[in-house]
């Protein structure tokens, strides 16, 4: 998917804090805008949509300029080709699902964009069309809200904490639909969240904000490896994202096997993902132990041979971060410095990585 970049030169002064962003986002699939509450994530999205007015700045999608204070350009929200999905679904209670979708489609008749039937099919909305919105579950309401947003003929989706208030099961359900949107419709999205698990599931790129300032910007895999991300995610959330491919399912033992490019991981059964599908996995540093000899008589099933690539100081004096290169992937272990010394770990050491838990994030 080839999309024009989004230029963001934004300065906003609010009573509680000031927002300063000077970045160009490549907009490949999902760009997560991540950070703690009050960091400026939603304010940035509102500025892009035209709901917040920067005191200085420029916002442009490729050559299409939406804001340029120096040139006197400030396009109003209804003339910016964005689809904004708010934390609350904002559906019309007096209309059924079909009426909510038709309203958005009628408003953009002649503009082009995504067709009604394509949206209904992509989000599996056909069984809901005749239902009143009051009768929908939280997850169903979000799917309808997403469909209405798509029918506004946007060139860019702005998703502001779209899963707020949903339980874990419904979050996973809606995320599965969300993930298909960029590739299916060639439509990039900015996804605001303070939930690192959501980000790990959807993000291709990450923009990390804290106190109104950009802390990091890069691919999701690269940013989530950064040691200095830990103060924003929590001490035990450090880890890596790895890409693999499902080789087969063992339905008797309820297991799925994933090839990481020469090493095979065993996961609890992911039966909705077919053999051959590409998947994204998250391995937390706290879930990796290290041995210098292949262990026996152990309940941990994932024991992978590798070589220590580097040993880094952790964010606390008692801990170290050990990077291990496997055959086709690199993983990270968080160990005590005492363990590093006792095992005599150093770059080049042959080791076995014991992966206690793997989190399935998404599938292509």
């Amino acid at each position: 998917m080839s999309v024009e970049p989004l230029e963001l030169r934004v300065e906003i002064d609010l009573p509680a804090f000031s927002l300063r962003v000077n970045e160009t986002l490549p907009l490949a699939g999902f760009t997560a805008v991540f950070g703690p509450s009050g960091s400026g994530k939603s304010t940035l999205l509102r500025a892009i949509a035209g709901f917040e007015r920067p005191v200085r700045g420029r916002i442009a999608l490729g050559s299409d300029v939406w804001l340029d204070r120096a040139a006197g350009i400030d396009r109003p929200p209804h003339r910016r080709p964005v689809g904004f999905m708010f934390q609350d679904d904002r559906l019309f209670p007096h209309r059924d699902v079909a009426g909510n979708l038709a309203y958005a489609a009628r408003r953009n008749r002649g503009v082009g964009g995504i067709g009604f039937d394509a949206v209904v099919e992509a989000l599996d909305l056909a069984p809901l069309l005749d239902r009143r919105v009051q009768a929908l579950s939280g997850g169903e309401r979000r799917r309808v809200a997403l469909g209405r947003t798509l029918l506004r003929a946007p060139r860019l989706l702005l998703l502001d904490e779209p899963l707020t208030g949903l339980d874990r099961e419904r979050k996973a359900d809606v995320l599965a639909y969300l993930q298909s949107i960029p590739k299916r419709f060639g439509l990039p999205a900015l996804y605001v969240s303070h939930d690192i698990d959501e980000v790990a599931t959807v993000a291709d790129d990450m923009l990390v904000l804290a106190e109104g300032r950009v802390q990091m910007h890069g691919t999701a895999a690269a940013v989530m490896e950064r040691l200095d991300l830990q103060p924003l995610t929590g001490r035990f959330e450090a880890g890596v994202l790895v890409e693999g491919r499902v080789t087969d399912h063992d339905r008797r033992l309820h297991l799925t096997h994933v090839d990481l490019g020469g090493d095979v991981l065993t996961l609890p059964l992911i039966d909705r993902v077919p053999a051959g599908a590409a998947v994204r996995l998250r391995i937390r540093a706290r879930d990796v132990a290290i041995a210098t000899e292949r262990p026996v008589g152990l309940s941990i099933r994932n024991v992978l041979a590798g070589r220590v690539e580097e040993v880094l100081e952790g964010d606390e004096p008692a801990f170290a971060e050990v990077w291990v290169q496997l055959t086709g992937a690199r993983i990270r272990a968080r160990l005590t410095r005492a363990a590093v010394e006792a095992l005599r770990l150093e770059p080049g050491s042959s080791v076995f990585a014991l992966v206690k838990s793997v989190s399935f994030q998404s599938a292509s």
Side-chain angles (χ1 to χ4, degrees), residues 183 200-204 220-221 240-246 258-263 265 277-283 328-331 361-364:
K183 289 182 180 178
T201 299
V202 303
D204 298 289
V240 297
L241 292 178
V242 295
E243 305 288 336
R245 192 166 297 277
V246 173
V258 176
D259 181 11
L260 299 183
D263 298 297
L265 280 175
V279 294
R280 173 186 286 187
L281 308 174
R282 184 170 174 229
I283 304 174
R330 191 172 80 136
I331 62 174
Q361 298 298 150
S362 60
S364 304

Side-chain angles (χ1 to χ4, degrees), residues 158-347:
L158 303 177
L159 307 173
D160 187 10
E161 302 272 9
L163 306 183
T164 297
L166 298 184
D167 59 33
R168 185 172 182 175
E169 183 177 349
R170 287 185 172 86
K171 277 188 178 183
D173 180 54
V174 177
L175 273 172
Y177 289 101
L178 272 171
Q179 285 176 261
S180 69
I181 298 303
K183 289 182 180 178
R184 184 159 190 163
F185 296 115
L187 188 62
L190 297 188
Y191 188 102
V192 160
S193 179
H194 65 274
D195 187 322
I196 195 66
D197 287 321
E198 288 181 32
V199 170
T201 299
V202 303
D204 298 289
D205 290 299
M206 284 180 69
L207 180 73
V208 181
L209 291 178
E211 298 180 346
R213 302 295 186 271
V214 175
Q215 307 297 312
M216 307 171 206
H217 177 210
T219 66
V223 170
M224 294 186 73
E225 289 182 359
R226 294 268 298 268
L227 292 176
D228 49 351
L229 186 65
Q230 291 184 35
L232 304 176
T233 61
R235 171 183 168 188
F236 294 110
E237 292 299 335
V240 297
L241 292 178
V242 295
E243 305 288 336
R245 192 166 297 277
V246 173
T247 59
D248 63 275
H249 301 291
D250 184 335
R251 299 190 182 279
R252 184 179 71 86
L253 296 177
H254 296 274
L255 299 173
T256 292
H257 300 115
V258 176
D259 181 11
L260 299 183
D263 298 297
V264 177
L265 280 175
T266 300
L267 285 69
L269 183 66
I270 316 169
D271 55 3
R272 65 183 183 278
V273 180
V279 294
R280 173 186 286 187
L281 308 174
R282 184 170 174 229
I283 304 174
R284 293 175 173 84
R286 61 171 169 160
D287 290 329
V288 179
I290 300 294
T292 54
E293 298 179 359
R294 182 178 288 277
V296 296
L298 195 68
S299 63
I300 297 174
R301 297 291 86 193
N302 292 309
V303 179
L304 308 175
R307 192 172 296 276
V308 174
E309 189 175 69
E310 55 184 337
V311 180
L312 303 174
E313 291 186 6
D315 60 331
E316 297 181 43
F319 291 91
E321 305 288 332
V322 179
W323 287 96
V324 177
Q325 181 64 53
L326 307 175
T327 303
R330 191 172 80 136
I331 62 174
R332 169 183 184 176
R334 182 181 175 89
L335 307 179
T336 64
R337 294 178 67 86
V340 171
E341 287 191 11
L343 295 174
R344 298 181 181 179
L345 299 180
E346 60 184 24

Side-chain angles (χ1 to χ4, degrees), residues 60-82:
L61 183 61
S63 59
D64 188 11
V65 180
W66 302 348
L67 173 80
D68 191 329
R69 283 294 191 199
I73 299 171
D74 188 359
R75 193 181 297 182
H78 68 275
R79 294 191 55 225
R80 300 189 186 193
V82 301

